[in-house]
Amino acid sequence: MKKPVVLYKKLSPPLMARLHEHTQVTLIDDLGDNGLAQLRAALPEARGLLGASLKLDAALLDLAPQLEAIASVSVGVDNYDIDYLTRRRILLSNTPDVLTETTADTGFALILASARRVVELANMVRNGQWTRNIGPLHFGTDVHGKKLGIIGMGRIGEALAQRGHFGFGMPVLYHSHSPKPDVEQRFNARYLGLHELLREADFVCLTLPLTPQTEGLIGAGELALMRPESVLINISRGKVVNEQALIQALQNRQIRGAGLDVFEREPLAPDSPLLSLSNVVATPHIGSATYETREAMARCAVDNLLAALAGERPPNLVNPQAYRH
């Protein structure tokens, strides 16, 4: 008998067909009030869940006594109480690797757009305000040869370092929980303490997961260490940065600018002060948002879910302690 699974994310027809072949699928198209009511109604029978961008807390999952596996279509797992899932032996899987290169592309796009003021000046042209040759008032800053500081040297950090080192001749500085000799050898990178990196880097790029230890990692004190010529890039999680402190640093021109793909609350409120600042490039969490990568992530999640429901260890298991050997 096919096991019931609940999808709260639309998948491509081939992936839907694959799930229908092996499971009994309930699809929830929209997670508005009606969709959440549908989810609660489906949870008591669910053996598997697949989706993204929904906080699944204990209060919700207590409604799913038969749940065996959750396949998150994401790398980040901050929407899940991993201790709770492990106690209940619910297997949680994610989709690393497949989005590494695409997210690093996004990070470098933000570096270039922020440095060269691409959005600001493109809007000037669009609004009919380009009436004479560009002068110093609208100059940007070079990227090639500048110091690239990466906080969080995981897969995405390494992919960003590769682009900076080989593509733009940027000296690579990095900070992570421990030095990585292979990274230092490949990219001629230097391991620095957090404060030292903030003082020295021209571009400070955040590529680390959101955890209790990293939440609010970059606050007023850290921003004060950055130089007026430096730029902050965040492609990790919004809550890694104290947003109000960042707004003040940008308003005061304490730093040159920021390229932000993630925010404390998403979607970003239309009245956010960030949107009124010309030295901010803000994108709507597009890190992995290409057709190819999103399909690869969904395919990875389906692989994870079907393996877990078959009693196998999912390829990308987040909480191995929950796996019944």
Side-chain angles (χ1 to χ4, degrees):
M1 185 175 178
K2 295 180 179 179
K3 292 183 177 180
V5 301
V6 179
L7 272 61
Y8 49 97
K9 179 180 179 61
K10 276 189 175 181
L11 303 180
S12 65
L15 292 178
M16 287 298 297
R18 187 169 168 222
L19 277 175
H20 277 293
E21 180 183 354
H22 297 284
T23 67
Q24 177 187 328
V25 179
T26 296
L27 174 63
I28 298 172
D29 285 331
D30 184 357
L31 281 172
D33 290 341
N34 187 49
L36 286 173
Q38 293 177 47
L39 176 63
R40 291 189 181 95
L43 283 175
E45 302 300 321
R47 298 293 187 92
L49 299 176
L50 186 150
S53 304
L54 174 65
K55 190 169 185 65
L56 294 176
D57 56 19
L60 193 60
L61 293 180
D62 280 344
L63 301 175
Q66 302 186 74
L67 190 63
E68 299 174 22
I70 300 172
S72 183
V73 190
S74 67
V75 172
V77 291
D78 44 283
N79 276 331
Y80 309 94
D81 184 338
I82 295 175
D83 290 338
Y84 168 88
L85 296 177
T86 301
R87 285 196 303 272
R88 284 194 51 191
R89 293 192 174 275
I90 297 170
L91 303 184
L92 174 65
S93 56
N94 65 346
T95 59
D97 298 328
V98 293
L99 52 65
T100 296
E101 299 298 335
T102 301
T103 305
D105 284 350
T106 301
F108 225 90
L110 288 172
I111 289 173
L112 290 167
S114 299
R116 299 303 304 272
R117 301 167 65 177
V118 170
V119 175
E120 176 191 359
L121 298 182
N123 285 336
M124 187 180 78
V125 176
R126 186 181 297 275
N127 295 332
Q129 297 168 337
W130 183 28
T131 59
R132 62 183 68 185
N133 289 341
I134 290 297
L137 184 63
H138 296 106
F139 286 173
T141 187
D142 283 336
V143 173
H144 63 271
K146 294 294 181 66
K147 292 178 181 177
L148 174 61
I150 301 172
I151 301 176
M153 190 55 82
R155 297 179 184 90
I156 294 170
E158 290 187 26
L160 202 61
Q162 180 174 335
R163 284 156 176 75
H165 175 68
F166 292 110
F168 289 80
M170 302 176 80
V172 175
L173 318 173
Y174 77 101
H175 175 76
S176 63
H177 55 78
S178 61
K180 296 194 169 185
D182 61 321
V183 167
E184 294 171 15
Q185 184 175 3
R186 273 188 292 153
F187 309 125
N188 195 27
R190 284 195 292 137
Y191 177 83
L192 298 177
L194 175 62
H195 289 180
E196 191 177 359
L197 183 148
L198 292 169
R199 290 189 186 99
E200 193 169 334
D202 295 298
F203 297 92
V204 174
C205 303
L206 305 176
T207 64
L208 67 174
L210 178 63
T211 67
Q213 291 73 37
T214 64
E215 184 169 354
L217 180 71
I218 305 299
E222 288 71 29
L223 291 164
L225 297 173
M226 295 173 63
R227 293 177 295 104
E229 300 83 13
S230 57
V231 174
L232 180 73
I233 303 294
N234 192 2
I235 53 172
S236 59
R237 286 292 185 266
K239 290 183 179 180
V240 170
V241 178
N242 181 317
E243 205 161 275
Q244 188 55 46
L246 176 60
I247 289 168
Q248 291 176 358
L250 291 163
Q251 288 173 334
N252 297 333
R253 300 286 170 165
Q254 188 176 321
I255 61 175
R256 178 186 292 275
L260 308 172
D261 190 43
V262 290
F263 306 90
E264 283 186 351
R265 292 180 179 81
E266 297 180 3
L268 184 64
D271 61 352
S272 169
L274 289 169
L275 298 179
S276 65
L277 295 170
S278 61
N279 56 343
V280 172
V281 176
T283 52
H285 205 145
I286 62 169
S288 62
T290 67
Y291 288 110
E292 300 92 336
T293 295
R294 287 294 174 88
E295 180 68 4
M297 291 171 68
R299 186 165 54 248
C300 179
V302 169
D303 290 343
N304 286 330
L305 184 63
L306 293 179
L309 294 179
E312 302 167 4
R313 182 186 173 112
N316 301 289
L317 183 59
V318 173
N319 57 340
Q321 300 89 342
Y323 181 60
R324 295 178 178 87
H325 298 282

